[in-house]
Amino acid sequence: MSMRWCRRPAIVALLAVAVAVSRPQAASPVIGLSYNADLAAMGFPSPVLRATVNGQAVWFLVDTGATVHTVARWFATAVHLGLHDTKTTIIGSTGATSQAHAAGSIQLETRDGGTISLRDPIVVDFPQTFADQRIGGLISPQLLAPAGEATILNLRTPSLSFAPFDSAVAALGLAPSAATANAHVCPSGGPPPGRTYGASVTIAGITADLTTDTGATATSVGSTRVVRALTARSEQNGRVEGIGGGPQAAKTVAGVTIVRGGAARKADVVLGGTSDGCGADGLLGMDALRGCTLVLGEKTMAWSCVGS
C-alpha cells in the first residue's frame, strides 16, 4: 500500500506561469464514511466504509494505526482472493501477534459509485466477530493518497479526501508550524512498507506521546508518569481486546481531560497496554479522536480538533 497517499524564452515562460496560476485545481473527490452504532456497541467505534467486492457487501474499518491494508481471512475466502505466504507478523493494539498472508490488489466499489484500490493487502485471522458482522478488514487511510498528496481524514463528518499537504493544512486555518508541532511519522519497513503517526497530547496535565489510532476503542497509556498520577483514581474494568485480539486485564480512569490538536476532551483512559508503537506512551483512541481532522502526510501529520 502506498502510504500516501526545459528552458524557454522569458516571454513564453511568463505566459506559461500565468496560465498555470489561473487554471483551477480539480477538487479531490470526497469519500463518504459513516459511524455504525451496532458496530460501535460491539467495540468497533472506528469510521467505516461500506463497499462491495465481487458481489460481497462488507464494512471496512478505517484504521490509522494499521501500517498496511489488512483483510480478514473469511472475506478473502468469500471473494476468492489468491493468497501466498509471507514472513510478516501483525501486532494488534493489545500486543497480540498473528501470522499474515499476502493477496493481490483489491478493487472496492463504494456506495457513491467510486472505486478504491487496496494495494498489497495482507490477510490475517481476525476474531469471529468480523465474519459475523461482515467486516472485511482494515483500511490504512494514509496509504490511499496519490503520490504527492496527503490523506485528509475528517472524523467529525466522517469522510476521506486527498490534497497536497500544505493545501490541506491551510484549509484547516492553521499555520503549518502550529498544525504539525509535536507530531511525527514512524515508517515501517514492511513488506509492504507503511507508516503510523505519533503526536504529543496532555493527559490530566501531563505530556504524553501517543499513537493516533482510529482502530483503538479507547485511549490507553503505558507511560509511568501518567499511570502513577492516575492509579489512585482507577477502577478494575474487566478485560479489553484490541482488533488484533489478545484480551488483557485493564484498569480505567473515568473523565480524564485530554488536550489534543488544540482542544480538550474528556475520556475514560485505560492504564497499561502496549507502548511500543509510534507514540512511546500509548494509543490515542477514538474516544479522544472523534472530534478531530487528521492530515496524514508522507513525512508528518497535522491535526485540528474540537472540544467535547
Side-chain angles (χ1 to χ4, degrees):
M1 281 146 257
S2 164
M3 286 248 182
R4 293 258 179 277
W5 299 86
C6 69
R7 197 177 295 271
R8 305 267 181 117
I11 295 178
V12 175
L14 288 173
L15 288 173
V17 170
V19 171
V21 170
S22 64
R23 182 182 296 127
Q25 187 175 24
S28 169
V30 175
I31 301 169
L33 307 175
S34 63
Y35 290 113
N36 184 296
D38 292 335
L39 293 179
M42 297 178 183
F44 300 107
S46 309
V48 293
L49 173 72
R50 188 66 168 173
T52 302
V53 181
N54 292 346
Q56 297 282 336
V58 295
W59 299 105
F60 277 91
L61 308 179
V62 178
D63 183 1
T64 58
T67 59
V68 293
H69 302 307
T70 310
V71 171
R73 193 172 302 278
W74 80 265
F75 173 74
T77 300
V79 299
H80 310 293
L81 293 182
L83 308 182
H84 58 273
D85 293 336
T86 72
K87 296 181 180 179
T88 301
T89 299
I90 299 302
I91 302 175
S93 60
T94 61
T97 61
S98 58
Q99 198 64 35
H101 292 81
S105 294
I106 305 173
Q107 296 296 317
L108 308 182
E109 298 177 13
T110 64
R111 285 193 292 195
D112 58 9
T115 60
I116 296 175
S117 178
L118 303 186
R119 291 188 288 168
D120 304 318
I122 59 172
V123 179
V124 300
D125 293 310
F126 281 122
Q128 180 60 35
T129 305
F130 275 64
D132 295 342
Q133 300 303 317
R134 300 192 62 78
I135 302 173
L138 316 178
I139 290 176
S140 178
Q142 55 266 39
L143 302 184
L144 296 176
E149 297 193 354
T151 295
I152 305 163
L153 177 56
N154 187 329
L155 295 169
R156 307 173 205 174
T157 319
S159 64
L160 268 175
S161 58
F162 310 99
F165 187 86
D166 289 346
S167 299
V169 170
L172 293 178
L174 300 173
S177 58
T180 60
N182 301 314
H184 55 98
V185 62
C186 297
S188 63
R195 60 184 178 271
T196 51
Y197 302 86
S200 179
V201 304
T202 63
I203 300 175
I206 301 170
T207 300
D209 180 38
L210 302 184
T211 302
T212 55
D213 188 354
T214 59
T217 301
T219 296
S220 61
V221 183
S223 164
T224 301
R225 291 181 305 136
V226 176
V227 171
R228 187 187 302 122
L230 296 179
T231 294
R233 295 169 50 189
S234 67
E235 295 182 358
Q236 192 68 39
N237 193 35
R239 294 157 76 83
V240 294
E241 184 171 353
I243 285 176
Q248 296 180 339
K251 288 187 176 181
T252 301
V253 184
V256 179
T257 298
I258 302 174
V259 179
R260 77 284 184 262
R265 186 183 186 101
K266 287 188 179 293
D268 297 347
V269 174
V270 177
L271 303 185
T274 182
S275 33
D276 58 357
C278 188
D281 297 322
L283 303 175
L284 189 67
M286 279 301 300
D287 53 351
L289 288 170
R290 182 78 177 252
C292 300
T293 297
L294 311 179
V295 181
L296 306 173
E298 186 174 356
K299 302 297 183 182
T300 190
M301 178 192 86
W303 60 337
S304 177
C305 303
V306 298
S308 52

